Amino acid sequence: MNIYLYILVMAVVTYLIRMLPLTLIKEKIENKFLQSFLYYIPYACLMAMTFPAVLFAAECIIAAVLGVAVAIFLALKGKGLVTVAVAASVTVFVVSLICNAAGLS
Amino acid sequence: MDKEFQVGVKDGIPIALGYFAVSFSLGITMVSAGITAFQGAVMSVTNLTSAGQFAGVKVIAAGGTLLEMILTQFIINLRYSLMSLSLSQKLEPKMPLWKKLIIAFGNTDEIFAMAMNHQRSLTLRYMVGLQCLPILGWTAGTFLGAVACDLMPKNVSVAMNVMLYGMFIAIVLPVAKKSKPVLIVASVAVFLSSCFRFVPFLRVISEGISIIICTVLAAALGAILFPVTDEKNIPSEEGMKKVDETDKAAKEGGAGE
């Protein structure tokens, strides 16, 4: 299927979600379930997209596991987004080289 | 020059720097899904959403249906409706519809948080100023990431592909560390998504649909077990945290140069 068709659909849906409440709805959302549900969505969605997919994102699974371990460790220490991301990426790169050299991948 | 516009542009700088870094690795991910640099830039300039675009790229890579794409975007980006709703309360009185239509376009987590932090009621000039650099950073980052991906050796691009996952981990874990409900919701999501990957009869379900199911089930469970009490602060609290991170990321990025 044409990629631009996908992009158009994505853009329209996302814009409508942002635009309709801004222009049409006058009162606040009072429903506690809906509020809580919307609050939890980003966390649920980001983690569902990350795990277990990240474990298969590198050429060798050992590199991926170590990259994730480094990311989790640094994230828990409160490091910023870019630090965590770069550290995970460098770990994956270095361990993949070692894996390749050892013929593990 | 217009003062409101200038203030907006200045407020948008840290957001734009953070966006550049994130979208650079999004661009790399797109290339591995068969999307060109130009298509990636078009997607970024029209969508402006990290999680939504990432999920969208997965649907495209898997050759999913348009219905699947609509559902994925709807569920993942639904939180913006809550932000737009809060934002609508802070707009200058009697703002005409056409101005609202423009402002709605760039209402991302970080821009929303920055706007809610603004001392006065929001004008179109401030909002356009605030949005312009982040949109530029997001789009340019995607394009350059995709172009760089074609030029770099495969093992480098594979390693950089992992950056986006690293950022997702960095967004969720610090919150999960402080909030047990978020930790439980996140764990349930990981468990469910692992089931979709490893349990034989569930593996036939495409990735886009499985992300939707995992997200809805885990978030609904959280909403039932741990209803959020301080409803007024939900979006801005979460948004502010993200701006802090973007700020931090921007500073780190600047220090690294």
Side-chain angles (χ1 to χ4, degrees), chain A residues 6 10 14-15 17-18 22 35-36 39-40 48 51-52 59 76 83 89, chain B residues 38-39 47-48 64 77 84 101 105 107 154 159 177 193 226 228 231 234 252:
Chain A
Y6 280 119
M10 290 170 69
T14 307
Y15 180 66
I17 291 171
R18 285 172 171 152
L22 198 66
Q35 287 220 328
S36 309
Y39 169 76
Y40 289 120
F51 295 101
E59 280 167 350
L76 288 178
T83 313
S89 178
Chain B
F38 181 75
Q39 289 165 339
N47 277 266
L48 230 63
N77 291 334
S84 281
L101 293 179
F105 178 74
N107 191 17
K154 181 149 186 285
K177 190 182 166 189
S193 121
F226 317 103
V228 182
E231 57 254 62
I234 294 169
E252 279 161 10

PDB file of all heavy atoms in Angstrom, chain A residues 6 10 14-15 17-18 22 35-36 39-40 48 51-52 59 76 83 89, chain B residues 38-39 47-48 64 77 84 101 105 107 154 159 177 193 226 228 231 234 252:
ATOM      1  N   TYR A   6      -0.860   5.843   4.274  1.00  0.00           N
ATOM      2  CA  TYR A   6      -0.697   5.580   5.706  1.00  0.00           C
ATOM      3  C   TYR A   6      -0.440   6.891   6.458  1.00  0.00           C
ATOM      4  O   TYR A   6      -1.037   7.167   7.487  1.00  0.00           O
ATOM      5  CB  TYR A   6       0.512   4.666   5.951  1.00  0.00           C
ATOM      6  CG  TYR A   6       0.304   3.194   5.720  1.00  0.00           C
ATOM      7  CD1 TYR A   6       1.046   2.516   4.772  1.00  0.00           C
ATOM      8  CD2 TYR A   6      -0.591   2.464   6.504  1.00  0.00           C
ATOM      9  CE1 TYR A   6       0.906   1.152   4.584  1.00  0.00           C
ATOM     10  CE2 TYR A   6      -0.739   1.102   6.328  1.00  0.00           C
ATOM     11  CZ  TYR A   6       0.008   0.448   5.355  1.00  0.00           C
ATOM     12  OH  TYR A   6      -0.131  -0.896   5.182  1.00  0.00           O
ATOM     13  N   MET A  10      -2.622   8.649   9.410  1.00  0.00           N
ATOM     14  CA  MET A  10      -2.033   8.952  10.722  1.00  0.00           C
ATOM     15  C   MET A  10      -2.241  10.424  11.071  1.00  0.00           C
ATOM     16  O   MET A  10      -2.635  10.763  12.188  1.00  0.00           O
ATOM     17  CB  MET A  10      -0.519   8.672  10.704  1.00  0.00           C
ATOM     18  CG  MET A  10      -0.152   7.208  10.622  1.00  0.00           C
ATOM     19  SD  MET A  10       1.628   7.017  10.315  1.00  0.00           S
ATOM     20  CE  MET A  10       2.307   7.603  11.872  1.00  0.00           C
ATOM     21  N   THR A  14      -4.587  11.879  14.153  1.00  0.00           N
ATOM     22  CA  THR A  14      -3.898  12.594  15.230  1.00  0.00           C
ATOM     23  C   THR A  14      -4.380  14.043  15.334  1.00  0.00           C
ATOM     24  O   THR A  14      -4.595  14.553  16.423  1.00  0.00           O
ATOM     25  CB  THR A  14      -2.373  12.547  14.986  1.00  0.00           C
ATOM     26  OG1 THR A  14      -1.996  11.184  14.798  1.00  0.00           O
ATOM     27  CG2 THR A  14      -1.604  13.117  16.166  1.00  0.00           C
ATOM     28  N   TYR A  15      -4.584  14.677  14.168  1.00  0.00           N
ATOM     29  CA  TYR A  15      -5.048  16.074  14.203  1.00  0.00           C
ATOM     30  C   TYR A  15      -6.451  16.176  14.797  1.00  0.00           C
ATOM     31  O   TYR A  15      -6.730  17.063  15.608  1.00  0.00           O
ATOM     32  CB  TYR A  15      -5.016  16.693  12.798  1.00  0.00           C
ATOM     33  CG  TYR A  15      -5.475  18.126  12.782  1.00  0.00           C
ATOM     34  CD1 TYR A  15      -4.727  19.119  13.421  1.00  0.00           C
ATOM     35  CD2 TYR A  15      -6.663  18.494  12.166  1.00  0.00           C
ATOM     36  CE1 TYR A  15      -5.149  20.434  13.437  1.00  0.00           C
ATOM     37  CE2 TYR A  15      -7.090  19.816  12.181  1.00  0.00           C
ATOM     38  CZ  TYR A  15      -6.341  20.781  12.814  1.00  0.00           C
ATOM     39  OH  TYR A  15      -6.758  22.081  12.839  1.00  0.00           O
ATOM     40  N   ILE A  17      -7.854  14.222  16.947  1.00  0.00           N
ATOM     41  CA  ILE A  17      -7.797  14.018  18.398  1.00  0.00           C
ATOM     42  C   ILE A  17      -7.392  15.314  19.106  1.00  0.00           C
ATOM     43  O   ILE A  17      -7.888  15.646  20.172  1.00  0.00           O
ATOM     44  CB  ILE A  17      -6.799  12.892  18.745  1.00  0.00           C
ATOM     45  CG1 ILE A  17      -7.345  11.540  18.280  1.00  0.00           C
ATOM     46  CG2 ILE A  17      -6.520  12.851  20.242  1.00  0.00           C
ATOM     47  CD1 ILE A  17      -6.333  10.420  18.378  1.00  0.00           C
ATOM     48  N   ARG A  18      -6.491  16.067  18.473  1.00  0.00           N
ATOM     49  CA  ARG A  18      -6.026  17.304  19.093  1.00  0.00           C
ATOM     50  C   ARG A  18      -7.006  18.454  18.882  1.00  0.00           C
ATOM     51  O   ARG A  18      -7.135  19.331  19.729  1.00  0.00           O
ATOM     52  CB  ARG A  18      -4.678  17.708  18.486  1.00  0.00           C
ATOM     53  CG  ARG A  18      -3.533  16.864  18.982  1.00  0.00           C
ATOM     54  CD  ARG A  18      -2.266  17.176  18.197  1.00  0.00           C
ATOM     55  NE  ARG A  18      -1.107  16.539  18.788  1.00  0.00           N
ATOM     56  CZ  ARG A  18      -0.024  16.179  18.092  1.00  0.00           C
ATOM     57  NH1 ARG A  18       0.013  16.389  16.796  1.00  0.00           N
ATOM     58  NH2 ARG A  18       0.993  15.621  18.692  1.00  0.00           N
ATOM     59  N   LEU A  22     -10.369  20.860  21.458  1.00  0.00           N
ATOM     60  CA  LEU A  22     -10.012  22.279  21.568  1.00  0.00           C
ATOM     61  C   LEU A  22     -11.121  23.174  21.040  1.00  0.00           C
ATOM     62  O   LEU A  22     -11.322  24.293  21.505  1.00  0.00           O
ATOM     63  CB  LEU A  22      -8.708  22.523  20.789  1.00  0.00           C
ATOM     64  CG  LEU A  22      -7.946  23.801  21.101  1.00  0.00           C
ATOM     65  CD1 LEU A  22      -7.410  23.773  22.511  1.00  0.00           C
ATOM     66  CD2 LEU A  22      -6.795  23.987  20.133  1.00  0.00           C
ATOM     67  N   GLN A  35     -10.293   9.563  32.981  1.00  0.00           N
ATOM     68  CA  GLN A  35      -9.108  10.368  33.307  1.00  0.00           C
ATOM     69  C   GLN A  35      -7.918   9.486  33.655  1.00  0.00           C
ATOM     70  O   GLN A  35      -6.808   9.708  33.183  1.00  0.00           O
ATOM     71  CB  GLN A  35      -9.433  11.251  34.507  1.00  0.00           C
ATOM     72  CG  GLN A  35     -10.351  12.382  34.144  1.00  0.00           C
ATOM     73  CD  GLN A  35      -9.954  13.652  34.848  1.00  0.00           C
ATOM     74  OE1 GLN A  35      -9.446  13.608  35.961  1.00  0.00           O
ATOM     75  NE2 GLN A  35     -10.168  14.777  34.221  1.00  0.00           N
ATOM     76  N   SER A  36      -8.162   8.490  34.516  1.00  0.00           N
ATOM     77  CA  SER A  36      -7.079   7.612  34.942  1.00  0.00           C
ATOM     78  C   SER A  36      -6.579   6.792  33.753  1.00  0.00           C
ATOM     79  O   SER A  36      -5.378   6.604  33.573  1.00  0.00           O
ATOM     80  CB  SER A  36      -7.564   6.664  36.044  1.00  0.00           C
ATOM     81  OG  SER A  36      -8.188   7.395  37.062  1.00  0.00           O
ATOM     82  N   TYR A  39      -4.390   8.767  31.662  1.00  0.00           N
ATOM     83  CA  TYR A  39      -3.130   9.013  32.367  1.00  0.00           C
ATOM     84  C   TYR A  39      -2.164   7.835  32.197  1.00  0.00           C
ATOM     85  O   TYR A  39      -0.962   8.018  32.013  1.00  0.00           O
ATOM     86  CB  TYR A  39      -3.415   9.261  33.854  1.00  0.00           C
ATOM     87  CG  TYR A  39      -2.189   9.266  34.730  1.00  0.00           C
ATOM     88  CD1 TYR A  39      -1.329  10.362  34.757  1.00  0.00           C
ATOM     89  CD2 TYR A  39      -1.885   8.169  35.540  1.00  0.00           C
ATOM     90  CE1 TYR A  39      -0.199  10.362  35.555  1.00  0.00           C
ATOM     91  CE2 TYR A  39      -0.759   8.162  36.340  1.00  0.00           C
ATOM     92  CZ  TYR A  39       0.083   9.267  36.348  1.00  0.00           C
ATOM     93  OH  TYR A  39       1.201   9.251  37.130  1.00  0.00           O
ATOM     94  N   TYR A  40      -2.709   6.607  32.248  1.00  0.00           N
ATOM     95  CA  TYR A  40      -1.839   5.429  32.191  1.00  0.00           C
ATOM     96  C   TYR A  40      -1.441   5.031  30.766  1.00  0.00           C
ATOM     97  O   TYR A  40      -0.492   4.280  30.575  1.00  0.00           O
ATOM     98  CB  TYR A  40      -2.515   4.228  32.874  1.00  0.00           C
ATOM     99  CG  TYR A  40      -2.596   4.364  34.374  1.00  0.00           C
ATOM    100  CD1 TYR A  40      -3.813   4.370  35.036  1.00  0.00           C
ATOM    101  CD2 TYR A  40      -1.430   4.475  35.143  1.00  0.00           C
ATOM    102  CE1 TYR A  40      -3.889   4.499  36.424  1.00  0.00           C
ATOM    103  CE2 TYR A  40      -1.498   4.615  36.521  1.00  0.00           C
ATOM    104  CZ  TYR A  40      -2.726   4.621  37.154  1.00  0.00           C
ATOM    105  OH  TYR A  40      -2.792   4.756  38.497  1.00  0.00           O
ATOM    106  N   ALA A  48       4.813  -1.553  26.153  1.00  0.00           N
ATOM    107  CA  ALA A  48       4.378  -2.624  25.253  1.00  0.00           C
ATOM    108  C   ALA A  48       5.151  -2.578  23.939  1.00  0.00           C
ATOM    109  O   ALA A  48       5.454  -3.608  23.337  1.00  0.00           O
ATOM    110  CB  ALA A  48       2.874  -2.522  24.981  1.00  0.00           C
ATOM    111  N   PHE A  51       9.144  -3.704  25.057  1.00  0.00           N
ATOM    112  CA  PHE A  51       9.402  -5.107  25.426  1.00  0.00           C
ATOM    113  C   PHE A  51       8.360  -6.023  24.813  1.00  0.00           C
ATOM    114  O   PHE A  51       7.182  -5.700  24.870  1.00  0.00           O
ATOM    115  CB  PHE A  51       9.390  -5.262  26.950  1.00  0.00           C
ATOM    116  CG  PHE A  51      10.508  -4.522  27.619  1.00  0.00           C
ATOM    117  CD1 PHE A  51      10.279  -3.307  28.234  1.00  0.00           C
ATOM    118  CD2 PHE A  51      11.801  -5.035  27.612  1.00  0.00           C
ATOM    119  CE1 PHE A  51      11.315  -2.612  28.848  1.00  0.00           C
ATOM    120  CE2 PHE A  51      12.837  -4.344  28.230  1.00  0.00           C
ATOM    121  CZ  PHE A  51      12.598  -3.140  28.848  1.00  0.00           C
ATOM    122  N   PRO A  52       8.725  -7.157  24.297  1.00  0.00           N
ATOM    123  CA  PRO A  52      10.095  -7.666  24.191  1.00  0.00           C
ATOM    124  C   PRO A  52      10.816  -7.248  22.910  1.00  0.00           C
ATOM    125  O   PRO A  52      11.931  -7.707  22.687  1.00  0.00           O
ATOM    126  CB  PRO A  52       9.873  -9.180  24.194  1.00  0.00           C
ATOM    127  CG  PRO A  52       8.561  -9.359  23.517  1.00  0.00           C
ATOM    128  CD  PRO A  52       7.741  -8.141  23.839  1.00  0.00           C
ATOM    129  N   GLU A  59      21.676  -7.438  16.501  1.00  0.00           N
ATOM    130  CA  GLU A  59      21.974  -8.664  15.767  1.00  0.00           C
ATOM    131  C   GLU A  59      22.242  -9.829  16.714  1.00  0.00           C
ATOM    132  O   GLU A  59      22.067 -10.982  16.355  1.00  0.00           O
ATOM    133  CB  GLU A  59      23.164  -8.437  14.834  1.00  0.00           C
ATOM    134  CG  GLU A  59      22.726  -7.723  13.567  1.00  0.00           C
ATOM    135  CD  GLU A  59      23.878  -7.184  12.756  1.00  0.00           C
ATOM    136  OE1 GLU A  59      25.021  -7.188  13.252  1.00  0.00           O
ATOM    137  OE2 GLU A  59      23.624  -6.744  11.626  1.00  0.00           O
ATOM    138  N   LEU A  76      16.947   4.491  36.145  1.00  0.00           N
ATOM    139  CA  LEU A  76      16.601   4.465  37.566  1.00  0.00           C
ATOM    140  C   LEU A  76      17.460   5.445  38.355  1.00  0.00           C
ATOM    141  O   LEU A  76      17.065   5.927  39.406  1.00  0.00           O
ATOM    142  CB  LEU A  76      16.747   3.050  38.132  1.00  0.00           C
ATOM    143  CG  LEU A  76      15.677   2.059  37.667  1.00  0.00           C
ATOM    144  CD1 LEU A  76      15.940   0.676  38.237  1.00  0.00           C
ATOM    145  CD2 LEU A  76      14.286   2.537  38.076  1.00  0.00           C
ATOM    146  N   THR A  83      21.170  10.762  27.506  1.00  0.00           N
ATOM    147  CA  THR A  83      22.224   9.967  28.140  1.00  0.00           C
ATOM    148  C   THR A  83      21.869   8.478  28.104  1.00  0.00           C
ATOM    149  O   THR A  83      22.682   7.635  27.704  1.00  0.00           O
ATOM    150  CB  THR A  83      22.399  10.382  29.619  1.00  0.00           C
ATOM    151  OG1 THR A  83      22.443  11.792  29.677  1.00  0.00           O
ATOM    152  CG2 THR A  83      23.665   9.789  30.197  1.00  0.00           C
ATOM    153  N   SER A  89      22.743   2.515  23.302  1.00  0.00           N
ATOM    154  CA  SER A  89      23.159   2.323  21.927  1.00  0.00           C
ATOM    155  C   SER A  89      24.640   1.943  21.830  1.00  0.00           C
ATOM    156  O   SER A  89      25.022   1.017  21.103  1.00  0.00           O
ATOM    157  CB  SER A  89      22.871   3.631  21.183  1.00  0.00           C
ATOM    158  OG  SER A  89      23.276   3.542  19.876  1.00  0.00           O
TER     159      SER A  89
ATOM    160  N   PHE B  38      12.611  11.303   2.831  1.00  0.00           N
ATOM    161  CA  PHE B  38      11.599  12.319   2.511  1.00  0.00           C
ATOM    162  C   PHE B  38      10.239  11.932   3.098  1.00  0.00           C
ATOM    163  O   PHE B  38       9.548  12.752   3.698  1.00  0.00           O
ATOM    164  CB  PHE B  38      11.502  12.500   0.991  1.00  0.00           C
ATOM    165  CG  PHE B  38      10.487  13.545   0.601  1.00  0.00           C
ATOM    166  CD1 PHE B  38      10.772  14.900   0.755  1.00  0.00           C
ATOM    167  CD2 PHE B  38       9.249  13.178   0.096  1.00  0.00           C
ATOM    168  CE1 PHE B  38       9.840  15.867   0.418  1.00  0.00           C
ATOM    169  CE2 PHE B  38       8.308  14.142  -0.245  1.00  0.00           C
ATOM    170  CZ  PHE B  38       8.603  15.487  -0.087  1.00  0.00           C
ATOM    171  N   GLN B  39       9.869  10.652   2.923  1.00  0.00           N
ATOM    172  CA  GLN B  39       8.596  10.196   3.486  1.00  0.00           C
ATOM    173  C   GLN B  39       8.585  10.360   5.010  1.00  0.00           C
ATOM    174  O   GLN B  39       7.574  10.752   5.595  1.00  0.00           O
ATOM    175  CB  GLN B  39       8.358   8.723   3.124  1.00  0.00           C
ATOM    176  CG  GLN B  39       8.050   8.509   1.653  1.00  0.00           C
ATOM    177  CD  GLN B  39       8.175   7.050   1.233  1.00  0.00           C
ATOM    178  OE1 GLN B  39       8.845   6.255   1.887  1.00  0.00           O
ATOM    179  NE2 GLN B  39       7.541   6.708   0.122  1.00  0.00           N
ATOM    180  N   ASN B  47       2.617  14.816  11.615  1.00  0.00           N
ATOM    181  CA  ASN B  47       2.127  14.071  12.769  1.00  0.00           C
ATOM    182  C   ASN B  47       2.578  14.604  14.118  1.00  0.00           C
ATOM    183  O   ASN B  47       1.798  14.718  15.048  1.00  0.00           O
ATOM    184  CB  ASN B  47       2.525  12.600  12.675  1.00  0.00           C
ATOM    185  CG  ASN B  47       1.577  11.809  11.819  1.00  0.00           C
ATOM    186  OD1 ASN B  47       0.652  11.210  12.314  1.00  0.00           O
ATOM    187  ND2 ASN B  47       1.779  11.846  10.507  1.00  0.00           N
ATOM    188  N   LEU B  48       3.901  14.826  14.244  1.00  0.00           N
ATOM    189  CA  LEU B  48       4.425  15.421  15.473  1.00  0.00           C
ATOM    190  C   LEU B  48       4.072  14.622  16.726  1.00  0.00           C
ATOM    191  O   LEU B  48       3.524  15.153  17.684  1.00  0.00           O
ATOM    192  CB  LEU B  48       3.831  16.840  15.599  1.00  0.00           C
ATOM    193  CG  LEU B  48       4.796  17.970  15.877  1.00  0.00           C
ATOM    194  CD1 LEU B  48       5.779  18.111  14.727  1.00  0.00           C
ATOM    195  CD2 LEU B  48       4.033  19.259  16.061  1.00  0.00           C
ATOM    196  N   GLY B  64       0.258  -3.478   7.567  1.00  0.00           N
ATOM    197  CA  GLY B  64      -1.051  -3.536   8.218  1.00  0.00           C
ATOM    198  C   GLY B  64      -2.126  -2.820   7.418  1.00  0.00           C
ATOM    199  O   GLY B  64      -1.833  -2.078   6.478  1.00  0.00           O
ATOM    200  N   ASN B  77      -2.683   8.055  20.687  1.00  0.00           N
ATOM    201  CA  ASN B  77      -2.675   9.518  20.753  1.00  0.00           C
ATOM    202  C   ASN B  77      -3.877  10.101  21.493  1.00  0.00           C
ATOM    203  O   ASN B  77      -4.025  11.315  21.582  1.00  0.00           O
ATOM    204  CB  ASN B  77      -2.603  10.105  19.341  1.00  0.00           C
ATOM    205  CG  ASN B  77      -1.258   9.825  18.705  1.00  0.00           C
ATOM    206  OD1 ASN B  77      -0.270   9.644  19.401  1.00  0.00           O
ATOM    207  ND2 ASN B  77      -1.216   9.765  17.390  1.00  0.00           N
ATOM    208  N   SER B  84      -5.598  18.865  24.951  1.00  0.00           N
ATOM    209  CA  SER B  84      -6.279  19.919  24.187  1.00  0.00           C
ATOM    210  C   SER B  84      -7.419  20.516  24.992  1.00  0.00           C
ATOM    211  O   SER B  84      -7.673  21.719  24.942  1.00  0.00           O
ATOM    212  CB  SER B  84      -6.813  19.361  22.868  1.00  0.00           C
ATOM    213  OG  SER B  84      -5.770  19.258  21.940  1.00  0.00           O
ATOM    214  N   LEU B 101      -7.827  26.184  15.232  1.00  0.00           N
ATOM    215  CA  LEU B 101      -7.473  25.120  14.296  1.00  0.00           C
ATOM    216  C   LEU B 101      -5.958  25.064  14.087  1.00  0.00           C
ATOM    217  O   LEU B 101      -5.384  24.003  13.897  1.00  0.00           O
ATOM    218  CB  LEU B 101      -8.184  25.328  12.947  1.00  0.00           C
ATOM    219  CG  LEU B 101      -9.699  25.164  12.979  1.00  0.00           C
ATOM    220  CD1 LEU B 101     -10.296  25.413  11.605  1.00  0.00           C
ATOM    221  CD2 LEU B 101     -10.096  23.781  13.486  1.00  0.00           C
ATOM    222  N   PHE B 105      -2.800  21.938  15.995  1.00  0.00           N
ATOM    223  CA  PHE B 105      -1.900  21.108  15.203  1.00  0.00           C
ATOM    224  C   PHE B 105      -0.663  20.654  15.976  1.00  0.00           C
ATOM    225  O   PHE B 105      -0.257  19.503  15.901  1.00  0.00           O
ATOM    226  CB  PHE B 105      -1.471  21.867  13.937  1.00  0.00           C
ATOM    227  CG  PHE B 105      -0.517  21.103  13.084  1.00  0.00           C
ATOM    228  CD1 PHE B 105      -0.960  20.043  12.321  1.00  0.00           C
ATOM    229  CD2 PHE B 105       0.841  21.414  13.079  1.00  0.00           C
ATOM    230  CE1 PHE B 105      -0.080  19.319  11.554  1.00  0.00           C
ATOM    231  CE2 PHE B 105       1.728  20.693  12.313  1.00  0.00           C
ATOM    232  CZ  PHE B 105       1.269  19.640  11.540  1.00  0.00           C
ATOM    233  N   ASN B 107      -0.057  20.477  19.324  1.00  0.00           N
ATOM    234  CA  ASN B 107      -0.216  20.262  20.765  1.00  0.00           C
ATOM    235  C   ASN B 107       0.406  18.940  21.203  1.00  0.00           C
ATOM    236  O   ASN B 107      -0.264  17.945  21.394  1.00  0.00           O
ATOM    237  CB  ASN B 107      -1.696  20.315  21.138  1.00  0.00           C
ATOM    238  CG  ASN B 107      -1.906  20.370  22.636  1.00  0.00           C
ATOM    239  OD1 ASN B 107      -0.977  20.684  23.383  1.00  0.00           O
ATOM    240  ND2 ASN B 107      -3.102  20.050  23.084  1.00  0.00           N
ATOM    241  N   LYS B 154      26.165  -0.841   8.790  1.00  0.00           N
ATOM    242  CA  LYS B 154      24.952  -1.451   9.323  1.00  0.00           C
ATOM    243  C   LYS B 154      25.008  -1.638  10.845  1.00  0.00           C
ATOM    244  O   LYS B 154      24.020  -1.393  11.532  1.00  0.00           O
ATOM    245  CB  LYS B 154      24.705  -2.803   8.639  1.00  0.00           C
ATOM    246  CG  LYS B 154      23.438  -3.477   9.126  1.00  0.00           C
ATOM    247  CD  LYS B 154      22.773  -4.331   8.065  1.00  0.00           C
ATOM    248  CE  LYS B 154      21.441  -4.874   8.551  1.00  0.00           C
ATOM    249  NZ  LYS B 154      21.546  -5.972   9.517  1.00  0.00           N
ATOM    250  N   ALA B 159      22.746  -0.332  16.119  1.00  0.00           N
ATOM    251  CA  ALA B 159      22.946   0.110  17.502  1.00  0.00           C
ATOM    252  C   ALA B 159      22.159   1.391  17.774  1.00  0.00           C
ATOM    253  O   ALA B 159      21.566   1.552  18.843  1.00  0.00           O
ATOM    254  CB  ALA B 159      24.427   0.326  17.789  1.00  0.00           C
ATOM    255  N   LYS B 177       9.432   4.198  39.188  1.00  0.00           N
ATOM    256  CA  LYS B 177      10.199   4.064  40.439  1.00  0.00           C
ATOM    257  C   LYS B 177       9.469   4.766  41.579  1.00  0.00           C
ATOM    258  O   LYS B 177       9.436   4.282  42.702  1.00  0.00           O
ATOM    259  CB  LYS B 177      11.576   4.698  40.222  1.00  0.00           C
ATOM    260  CG  LYS B 177      12.582   4.450  41.331  1.00  0.00           C
ATOM    261  CD  LYS B 177      13.874   5.190  40.984  1.00  0.00           C
ATOM    262  CE  LYS B 177      14.804   5.299  42.157  1.00  0.00           C
ATOM    263  NZ  LYS B 177      15.939   6.200  41.844  1.00  0.00           N
ATOM    264  N   SER B 193       2.537  -7.948  26.240  1.00  0.00           N
ATOM    265  CA  SER B 193       3.182  -7.860  24.932  1.00  0.00           C
ATOM    266  C   SER B 193       4.142  -9.032  24.719  1.00  0.00           C
ATOM    267  O   SER B 193       4.335  -9.491  23.593  1.00  0.00           O
ATOM    268  CB  SER B 193       3.818  -6.482  24.788  1.00  0.00           C
ATOM    269  OG  SER B 193       5.166  -6.541  24.581  1.00  0.00           O
ATOM    270  N   PHE B 226      -6.206   1.598  40.398  1.00  0.00           N
ATOM    271  CA  PHE B 226      -5.626   2.811  40.990  1.00  0.00           C
ATOM    272  C   PHE B 226      -6.146   4.060  40.293  1.00  0.00           C
ATOM    273  O   PHE B 226      -5.440   4.674  39.514  1.00  0.00           O
ATOM    274  CB  PHE B 226      -4.095   2.786  40.863  1.00  0.00           C
ATOM    275  CG  PHE B 226      -3.464   1.475  41.161  1.00  0.00           C
ATOM    276  CD1 PHE B 226      -3.010   0.659  40.117  1.00  0.00           C
ATOM    277  CD2 PHE B 226      -3.309   1.047  42.463  1.00  0.00           C
ATOM    278  CE1 PHE B 226      -2.417  -0.561  40.389  1.00  0.00           C
ATOM    279  CE2 PHE B 226      -2.710  -0.179  42.731  1.00  0.00           C
ATOM    280  CZ  PHE B 226      -2.271  -0.979  41.688  1.00  0.00           C
ATOM    281  N   VAL B 228      -6.720   7.702  39.457  1.00  0.00           N
ATOM    282  CA  VAL B 228      -5.888   8.857  39.786  1.00  0.00           C
ATOM    283  C   VAL B 228      -6.745   9.866  40.520  1.00  0.00           C
ATOM    284  O   VAL B 228      -7.825  10.224  40.066  1.00  0.00           O
ATOM    285  CB  VAL B 228      -5.301   9.470  38.508  1.00  0.00           C
ATOM    286  CG1 VAL B 228      -4.410  10.640  38.851  1.00  0.00           C
ATOM    287  CG2 VAL B 228      -4.504   8.419  37.751  1.00  0.00           C
ATOM    288  N   GLU B 231      -7.202  14.825  39.786  1.00  0.00           N
ATOM    289  CA  GLU B 231      -7.423  14.868  38.342  1.00  0.00           C
ATOM    290  C   GLU B 231      -7.003  16.176  37.700  1.00  0.00           C
ATOM    291  O   GLU B 231      -6.642  16.216  36.557  1.00  0.00           O
ATOM    292  CB  GLU B 231      -8.880  14.569  38.002  1.00  0.00           C
ATOM    293  CG  GLU B 231      -9.895  15.474  38.644  1.00  0.00           C
ATOM    294  CD  GLU B 231     -10.613  14.768  39.769  1.00  0.00           C
ATOM    295  OE1 GLU B 231      -9.923  14.390  40.745  1.00  0.00           O
ATOM    296  OE2 GLU B 231     -11.826  14.576  39.696  1.00  0.00           O
ATOM    297  N   ILE B 234      -3.286  16.033  36.471  1.00  0.00           N
ATOM    298  CA  ILE B 234      -2.738  14.922  35.709  1.00  0.00           C
ATOM    299  C   ILE B 234      -1.928  15.354  34.483  1.00  0.00           C
ATOM    300  O   ILE B 234      -0.740  15.120  34.450  1.00  0.00           O
ATOM    301  CB  ILE B 234      -3.839  13.936  35.270  1.00  0.00           C
ATOM    302  CG1 ILE B 234      -4.439  13.275  36.489  1.00  0.00           C
ATOM    303  CG2 ILE B 234      -3.250  12.871  34.368  1.00  0.00           C
ATOM    304  CD1 ILE B 234      -5.690  12.505  36.173  1.00  0.00           C
ATOM    305  N   GLU B 252      22.286  18.466  28.109  1.00  0.00           N
ATOM    306  CA  GLU B 252      23.308  17.432  27.889  1.00  0.00           C
ATOM    307  C   GLU B 252      23.795  17.469  26.452  1.00  0.00           C
ATOM    308  O   GLU B 252      24.971  17.369  26.190  1.00  0.00           O
ATOM    309  CB  GLU B 252      22.740  16.053  28.208  1.00  0.00           C
ATOM    310  CG  GLU B 252      22.743  15.756  29.695  1.00  0.00           C
ATOM    311  CD  GLU B 252      21.791  14.637  30.020  1.00  0.00           C
ATOM    312  OE1 GLU B 252      21.292  13.981  29.091  1.00  0.00           O
ATOM    313  OE2 GLU B 252      21.534  14.418  31.216  1.00  0.00           O
TER     314      GLU B 252
END
